[in-house]
Amino acid sequence: MSARPAAALLLALAAAAPGAGGPAAGELPARIATPYPLARDLQPGDVYMGVRLLGALKLDPAFVDGRQLTGLSGLAWDADEGRLYALSDRGAVFHLTLTFDGDGLLADARALAAYPLKDEHGRPLTGRHADSEGLVARHTDNGIRGDSELAVSFERVHRVLRYSPQGELRGAVALPPALGAHARYRSANRALEALAWHPRLGYLTAPELPFEGVNDGHVELHALSPPRHWRYPLAPEPNAGLTAMVALTDGSLLTLERGYGVFFVPFISTLRRVAAFPSADGAALEARTVVRFSTGEGWQLDNFEGLALLGGGRILLVSDDNARAYQSTLLAAFQLLDPPDSSASAGHDRVQGSRPE
């Protein structure tokens, strides 16, 4: 068994280990996933552009603790707890386990629990306040159980809030004035779509589309503390929008974009990588395409909106089915072929000052 499959199998064992939460010892949660052929001409294990395919699953719209597993828009992996957090845009967080087989391919996903995101009074969020989109999990790989924390970005009523993994509100993350004006966004439903935690820059967030009146194809990407921003160039795809991002171990940023043509044909998902952040505030970033999937080229995609880093260069994508019967919740795993390189940001600003808290 190679190092990669061995590491993937350990991930599965950690997820299923006693004490990881969920059902009582000896019990497995109900099966909610079936294998899904993401491409007509490629199989799990094959290489395509900058990734190796590690398998895909279609998740059932099952009810977990009274909440339907649907509308997933954010992902985050918790290595300490051996579980995946999946955020619904209906204001709920699901706890899932993952299983990878001996070849390192995604074989199964099962639901452990579901929790509503709550307000300052301990009440579940509802209506416009529950439109949760971006997800970050922190303190998840320090060998300490029970200290994980989630951060969630919202559309409609745009803000960034901190939560326990069980949905208990812990506080808010202050937004700079540039992100506070409702009139700047293209619409209420095009606000803080993407959220990431960067080891040097702290929280990063961005709207899905360029601000109102900006027609150069750039989205403003903001660091929240201290406030800074850059201009992120969307890929040259029809109706391109930024849906998720995650910081890699070298400090580069992996982004997920969505594009679509007339009547959503073709549907396009693109992973891109930003190697470094220039020191000048407001500077344009450079984004390199890692992989591009299009339904016009044999890919059987859906609305990919969430992205998580598993470690070892492995990533997960999840699609938002918009609670529609003709769409699907897909969970797809990939291995990045170009591993993070600690020299990637050489010659660029590493952000002076202490590490953000």
Side-chain angles (χ1 to χ4, degrees):
M1 184 182 296
S2 68
R4 285 175 179 156
L9 183 57
L10 286 175
L11 174 67
L13 293 174
E27 295 182 5
L28 281 176
R31 184 180 298 275
I32 59 167
T34 55
Y36 182 84
L38 199 62
R40 288 197 293 265
D41 300 324
L42 294 171
Q43 301 296 321
D46 289 346
V47 169
Y48 180 77
M49 294 185 67
V51 298
R52 175 174 288 106
L53 282 63
L54 298 182
L57 301 170
K58 181 178 179 180
L59 304 187
D60 301 332
F63 281 87
V64 183
D65 293 335
R67 297 187 173 270
Q68 192 171 21
L69 187 65
T70 188
L72 302 186
S73 59
L75 289 179
W77 172 248
D78 190 331
D80 290 335
E81 304 294 340
R83 65 183 57 191
L84 180 72
Y85 302 119
L87 180 72
S88 167
D89 57 17
R90 296 180 172 187
V93 60
F94 293 86
H95 294 203
L96 310 178
T97 63
L98 301 176
T99 300
F100 286 74
D101 67 17
D103 294 318
L105 305 179
L106 182 62
D108 196 15
R110 301 192 181 214
L112 290 172
Y115 302 94
L117 300 178
K118 297 178 181 179
D119 64 16
E120 64 273 21
H121 304 293
R123 299 173 303 201
L125 300 179
T126 59
R128 296 172 64 250
H129 290 80
D131 191 1
S132 45
E133 293 289 343
L135 179 66
V136 163
R138 296 190 58 205
H139 315 304
T140 56
D141 196 17
N142 58 9
I144 301 173
R145 300 284 302 276
D147 69 339
S148 303
E149 181 173 275
L150 307 182
V152 177
S153 64
F154 292 81
E155 292 187 322
R156 300 189 190 276
V157 182
H158 57 276
R159 63 214 191 278
V160 176
L161 300 178
R162 295 166 37 244
Y163 287 96
S164 75
Q166 291 73 36
E168 302 293 336
L169 182 64
R170 289 182 172 173
V173 180
L175 296 180
L179 294 177
H182 291 267
R184 293 201 73 196
Y185 298 95
R186 290 289 177 100
S187 73
N189 199 35
R190 294 292 185 268
L192 301 182
E193 179 80 20
L195 182 69
W197 172 262
H198 191 280
R200 298 188 306 275
L201 300 169
Y203 285 112
L204 300 175
T205 190
E208 178 181 345
L209 299 177
F211 284 125
E212 186 68 35
V214 176
N215 299 308
D216 63 358
H218 286 74
V219 167
E220 279 193 16
L221 174 64
H222 284 257
L224 302 185
S225 181
R228 302 183 61 180
H229 80 281
W230 299 266
R231 294 166 53 244
Y232 171 84
L234 293 168
E237 304 288 358
N239 301 297
L242 178 64
T243 63
M245 54 191 181
V246 64
L248 301 180
T249 55
D250 64 347
S252 63
L253 192 70
L254 187 68
T255 62
L256 173 63
E257 296 183 31
R258 170 185 56 211
Y260 56 88
V262 179
F263 298 113
F264 299 96
V265 179
F267 207 93
I268 303 161
S269 292
T270 308
L271 285 169
R272 306 175 77 206
R273 192 164 170 181
V274 175
F277 294 82
S279 57
D281 197 37
L285 299 173
E286 296 183 5
R288 174 179 60 84
T289 296
V290 175
V291 65
R292 176 185 182 273
F293 308 111
S294 172
T295 56
E297 298 172 358
W299 291 92
Q300 302 181 121
L301 308 177
D302 212 297
N303 180 30
F304 282 116
E305 286 198 2
L307 171 65
L309 182 66
L310 293 180
R314 289 168 301 157
I315 59 173
L316 277 174
L317 273 62
V318 71
S319 67
D320 179 357
D321 67 353
N322 293 299
R324 294 169 177 160
Y326 58 85
Q327 290 188 261
S328 301
T329 300
L330 305 179
L331 192 64
F334 303 92
Q335 175 84 42
L336 297 174
L337 297 182
D338 180 14
D341 180 354
S342 59
S343 65
S345 56
H348 292 262
D349 181 28
R350 288 183 174 268
V351 184
Q352 296 180 356
S354 61
R355 177 174 175 170
E357 295 297 335

